[in-house]
Amino acid sequence: MEDTTLLWLLFLTSLLSCPTNQASLTVSPSSSQLFKGQSVSLSCEDDDSSAGWTLRRNTTRDTGTRCGDGWGSPSGSSCEIGYMVQWDGGVYWCESREGATSNSITITVTGGPVILQSPVLPVMEGEDLTLTCKTERSSNLPAGFYKDDSFIRTESAGHMTIHHVSRSDEGLYKCNISSVGESPSSWVSVTGEEVTFDFRSSFIQIFT
Ligand SMILES: *[C@@H]1O[C@H](CO)[C@@H](O)[C@H](O)[C@H]1NC(C)=O
Ligand SMILES: *[C@@H]1O[C@H](CO)[C@@H](O)[C@H](O)[C@H]1NC(C)=O
């Protein structure tokens, strides 16, 4: 067999094995905003645990540092942070030994009295989006909701649902509770239908 043929075969094999090497990051509690002092568990979920996923983060103090390296306690493919403080706020993602990355999640930690509970993962077009404005003790107080700094409406029980979201609902949301305070802002993304990229057909298209 010619050397170049062997190289092409290796290249093809690596392309074919790519799509299985995917992880998704989930967070519990599932909220993009947390109160200072809350604990959180982040998990890299994958079919192929041998890929050796590690959790990394970017904050104002860390750039790509891994769980256990000055923050968090690794436990299997999860990472626990027992007591969140403001500088734990940032972007978290999973990375394999080979450098493949998962989706990323942005977490905001506040020392203030109000948080907006919004989805950590993008909302699919057509689904309902529910936002909750809460204090540490209560999640059903009257609250005002804002998008991109414009007032939307007041909800008497702290929950606002937007039915059948579309791309135009994507934006920066926050809320306030009268005589308590205002939450930080969080970005809510809306995505279209999931498109999976097929390496095999693209290979055939490119190389035939
Ligand atoms: C983390 O920070 C580095 C350096 O600024 C940047 O290149 C990288 O894209 C960031 N990662 C994420 C997931 O935001
Ligand atoms: C939210 O804040 C605005 C401006 O401070 C205030 O007028 C409004 O009453 C507040 N709304 C609620 C529900 O607390």
Side-chain angles (χ1 to χ4, degrees), residues 2 9 32-33 39 59 86 90 94 125 150 152 154 193-194:
E2 263 185 68
L9 277 174
S32 52
Q33 294 185 10
S39 64
T59 67
Q86 283 92 321
C94 305
E125 262 180 319
S150 304
I152 309 171
T154 298
E193 253 183 85
E194 203 72 47

Side-chain angles (χ1 to χ4, degrees), residues 2-142:
E2 263 185 68
D3 277 0
T4 48
T5 314
L6 188 62
L7 280 175
W8 278 113
L9 277 174
L10 283 172
F11 178 57
L12 175 60
T13 311
S14 68
L15 283 177
L16 290 173
S17 61
C18 259
T20 58
N21 208 8
Q22 263 296 334
S24 61
L25 170 61
T26 59
V27 58
S28 172
S30 185
S31 176
S32 52
Q33 294 185 10
L34 296 168
F35 290 111
K36 181 186 173 203
Q38 276 191 273
S39 64
V40 70
S41 172
L42 299 129
S43 306
C44 301
E45 285 167 9
D46 180 26
D47 323 318
D48 176 20
S49 53
S50 66
W53 296 96
T54 51
L55 191 75
R56 293 184 184 273
R57 75 178 190 183
N58 280 353
T59 67
T60 51
R61 299 182 175 197
D62 302 296
T63 303
T65 53
R66 49 197 291 172
C67 177
D69 198 0
W71 62 274
S73 316
S75 102
S77 58
S78 299
C79 179
E80 319 286 331
I81 306 175
Y83 191 99
M84 293 288 273
V85 290
Q86 283 92 321
W87 51 86
D88 289 314
V91 183
Y92 290 78
W93 73 96
C94 305
E95 204 168 294
S96 74
R97 274 190 294 267
E98 289 75 30
T101 55
S102 68
N103 60 303
S104 61
I105 284 177
T106 301
I107 296 175
T108 303
V109 184
T110 179
V114 177
I115 60 168
L116 175 74
Q117 226 164 37
S118 63
V120 284
L121 297 174
V123 184
M124 295 283 277
E125 262 180 319
E127 285 185 351
D128 292 349
L129 163 65
T130 298
L131 301 171
T132 301
C133 194
K134 59 189 284 188
T135 65
E136 271 180 277
R137 291 183 178 185
S138 176
S139 57
N140 52 17
L141 297 169

